[in-house]
């Protein structure tokens, strides 16, 4: 099925396009009342993730209701630990919780490399349904967490400001850390390939907790595993979003990925200089800017578009959209991008 709107893919290839493509991290869910309605019909977030028909429905909502240039499949990065044998719960208004965690050799022995067709078929199935339903209207983005970020949740057991238990393991049991990171990496490669097989037009790797590691640890415990994933995915473009990985930006230039996501603290001109001209950049408006009035959102969005320039650039926020943002403010951001022309 050829895409009717392939702005995003042409931009990733470095082609000149009629305008800048735009989508938002975490656009599927939370901000839309229409998402809440579907969510309230089901008993839990996890049930929604595991029900392909409903997951497909909320994936398409932002395409219809906000006018974005891509759909991102509705799922979560924590489906990987679950498929490896470490189930999670999603505590309402609090976030993820793992009843068991990985702290010892014995914990590690209970894990397996994920068998996607056995334990994680629901997300590829949801992608198949989304592709059918969208009929080429926009590309579909598949995704996974970066191994370091998944590791952080599996060891810590919950979200955390410091992830101190996860970081402790890097100092005390580097051997165990590498074993676990490699199992996560192998699982993630199989998972992304299954998403691509199901029709994902590109994939994004979220390293949400990149910023809590010192540069040497990021270099040692995160980047090599992201590099393995990028090398293994050859049939569609890959985007790497490593939040807070400032010191490692120069190393990201040599990753076999086409796009680098920037968070809102990263300087646009500096990032372009460090990454060079051969990759597409994505980002990076402060998600809190969408609390501003409409005129301010327009101005900040226009400034961002001018700073990135017309080529090799995908407009987005610098992290996921916050749940309490007014959808009309999101529309203002999107419409400003769509109306902008570079002179
Ligand atoms: O981008 C999209 O719209 C697709 C869906 C998506 C979800 N999670 C659905 C979700 C994506 C891409 C994710 C990724 C994800 N999940 C990340 C990486 C991106 C980032 O924000 O850094 C992380 C760290 C997680 C883990 C996670 N899932 C947390 C910490 C939480 C609780 C806090 C929160 O963000 O709401 C979740 C829950 C979650 N994942 C919700 C949604 C829609 C909200 C739960 C609900 O609707 O009941």
């Amino acid at each position: 099925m050829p895409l009717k709107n392939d702005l995003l893919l042409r931009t990733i290839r470095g082609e000149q396009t009629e305008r800048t493509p735009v989508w938002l991290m975490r656009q599927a869910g939370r901000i839309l009342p229409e998402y809440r309605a579907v969510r309230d019909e089901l008993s839990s977030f996890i049930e929604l993730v595991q029900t392909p028909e409903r997951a497909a429905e909320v994936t398409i909502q932002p395409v219809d209701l906000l006018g974005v240039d891509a759909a991102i499949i509705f799922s979560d990065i924590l489906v990987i630990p679950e498929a490896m044998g470490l189930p999670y719960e999603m505590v309402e208004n609090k976030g993820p919780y793992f009843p068991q965690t990985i702290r010892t050799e014995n914990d590690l022995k209970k894990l397996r490399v994920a068998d996607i067709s056995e334990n994680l078929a629901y997300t590829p199935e949801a992608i198949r349904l989304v592709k059918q339903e969208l009929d080429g209207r926009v590309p579909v983005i598949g995704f996974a967490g970066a191994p370091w970020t998944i590791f952080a949740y599996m060891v810590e057991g919950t979200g955390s400001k410091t992830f101190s238990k996860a970081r402790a393991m890097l100092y005390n049991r580097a051997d165990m850390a590498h074993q676990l990171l490699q199992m996560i990496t192998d699982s993630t490669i199989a998972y992304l390939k299954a998403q691509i097989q199901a029709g994902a037009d590109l994939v994004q790797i979220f390293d949400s907790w990149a910023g809590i590691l010192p540069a040497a640890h990021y270099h040692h415990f995160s980047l090599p595993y992201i590099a393995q994933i990028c090398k293994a995915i050859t049939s569609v473009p890959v985007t790497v979003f490593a939040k807070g990985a400032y010191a490692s930006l120069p190393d990201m230039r040599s990753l076999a990925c086409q796009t680098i996501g920037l968070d809102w603290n990263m300087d646009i001109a500096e990032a372009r200089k460090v990454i060079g001209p051969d990759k597409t950049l994505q980002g990076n408006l402060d998600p809190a800017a969408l609390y501003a009035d409409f005129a301010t959102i327009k101005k900040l969005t226009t400034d961002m578009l001018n700073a990135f320039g017309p080529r090799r650039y995908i407009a987005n926020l610098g992290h996921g959209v916050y749940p309490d943002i007014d959808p009309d403010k999101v529309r203002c951001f999107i419409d400003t991008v769509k109306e902008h022309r570079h002179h």
Side-chain angles (χ1 to χ4, degrees), residues 23-30 35-36 39 44-46 48-49 59 62 72-78 88 90-96 143-145 149 153 159 206-209 241 243 319-321 323:
W23 68 281
L24 282 84
M25 291 187 278
R26 312 298 295 272
Q27 67 188 17
R30 306 198 298 176
Y35 165 79
R36 278 276 132 210
R39 176 76 173 69
S44 69
F45 169 77
I46 292 178
L48 177 51
V49 167
T59 298
I72 179 161
I73 190 63
F74 184 83
S75 186
D76 200 82
I77 61 169
L78 301 175
Y88 68 105
M90 199 56 82
V91 184
E92 200 70 36
N93 301 319
K94 278 195 81 179
F143 73 89
T149 287
Y153 282 106
F206 287 90
D207 207 354
S208 305
W209 297 107
F241 172 67
K243 186 174 176 296
H319 196 193
V321 61

Side-chain angles (χ1 to χ4, degrees), residues 11-49:
T11 298
I12 291 170
R13 289 196 295 264
E15 293 173 23
Q16 187 160 3
T17 53
E18 49 283 20
R19 65 167 173 86
T20 298
V22 57
W23 68 281
L24 282 84
M25 291 187 278
R26 312 298 295 272
Q27 67 188 17
R30 306 198 298 176
I31 50 165
L32 293 173
E34 291 82 354
Y35 165 79
R36 278 276 132 210
V38 173
R39 176 76 173 69
D40 289 345
E41 284 175 35
L42 298 170
S43 65
S44 69
F45 169 77
I46 292 178
E47 190 190 347
L48 177 51
V49 167

Side-chain angles (χ1 to χ4, degrees), residues 60-284:
I60 295 170
Q61 282 177 346
V63 179
D64 291 334
L65 300 168
L66 301 173
V68 285
D69 293 310
I72 179 161
I73 190 63
F74 184 83
S75 186
D76 200 82
I77 61 169
L78 301 175
V79 299
I80 280 287
E82 167 148 293
M84 292 173 68
L86 201 74
Y88 68 105
E89 296 164 8
M90 199 56 82
V91 184
E92 200 70 36
N93 301 319
K94 278 195 81 179
Y97 171 71
F98 286 88
Q100 300 140 48
T101 54
I102 305 301
R103 303 276 168 86
T104 65
E105 305 264 5
N106 244 353
D107 298 333
L108 196 58
K109 277 196 203 114
K110 292 182 199 141
L111 295 178
R112 56 181 180 256
V113 170
D115 178 334
I116 306 305
S117 59
E118 191 73 26
N119 299 305
L120 193 32
Y122 47 85
T123 299
E125 182 52 28
I127 292 178
R128 265 179 216 105
L129 297 176
V130 167
K131 287 294 286 184
Q132 260 173 33
E133 184 73 23
L134 278 178
D135 198 27
R137 280 168 62 203
V138 292
V140 176
I141 306 172
F143 73 89
W148 156 249
T149 287
I150 297 300
F151 172 99
Y153 282 106
M154 291 175 83
V155 175
E156 202 76 23
T158 59
S160 161
K161 280 203 175 78
T162 57
F163 283 93
S164 53
K165 294 182 181 71
R167 279 160 60 220
M169 195 188 284
L170 307 185
Y171 288 96
N172 296 325
R173 288 303 307 267
D175 59 327
M176 247 181 81
H178 281 300
Q179 271 183 51
L180 178 52
L181 285 162
Q182 191 59 55
M183 285 179 81
I184 297 168
T185 302
D186 295 342
S187 304
T188 301
I189 290 171
Y191 179 45
L192 289 174
K193 284 188 171 171
Q195 293 185 51
I196 294 161
Q197 180 83 33
D201 297 287
L202 67 156
V203 295
Q204 175 157 325
I205 299 167
F206 287 90
D207 207 354
S208 305
W209 297 107
I212 62 176
L213 291 183
H217 271 182
Y218 196 70
H219 199 86
H220 201 63
F221 292 102
S222 186
L223 269 182
Y225 297 99
I226 293 177
Q228 278 188 47
I229 297 170
C230 292
K231 269 213 188 100
I233 304 300
T234 50
S235 57
V236 303
V238 179
T239 300
V240 175
F241 172 67
K243 186 174 176 296
Y246 313 112
S248 300
L249 220 44
D251 295 325
M252 298 181 74
R253 184 180 184 146
S254 52
L255 287 174
C257 71
Q258 288 66 34
T259 304
I260 300 284
L262 303 180
D263 71 46
W264 71 93
N265 285 316
M266 290 179 180
D267 182 76
I268 296 169
E270 177 66 20
R272 176 50 85 195
K273 208 165 80 197
V274 170
I275 295 292
D278 299 330
K279 287 197 194 313
T280 295
L281 298 178
Q282 174 174 279
N284 74 341

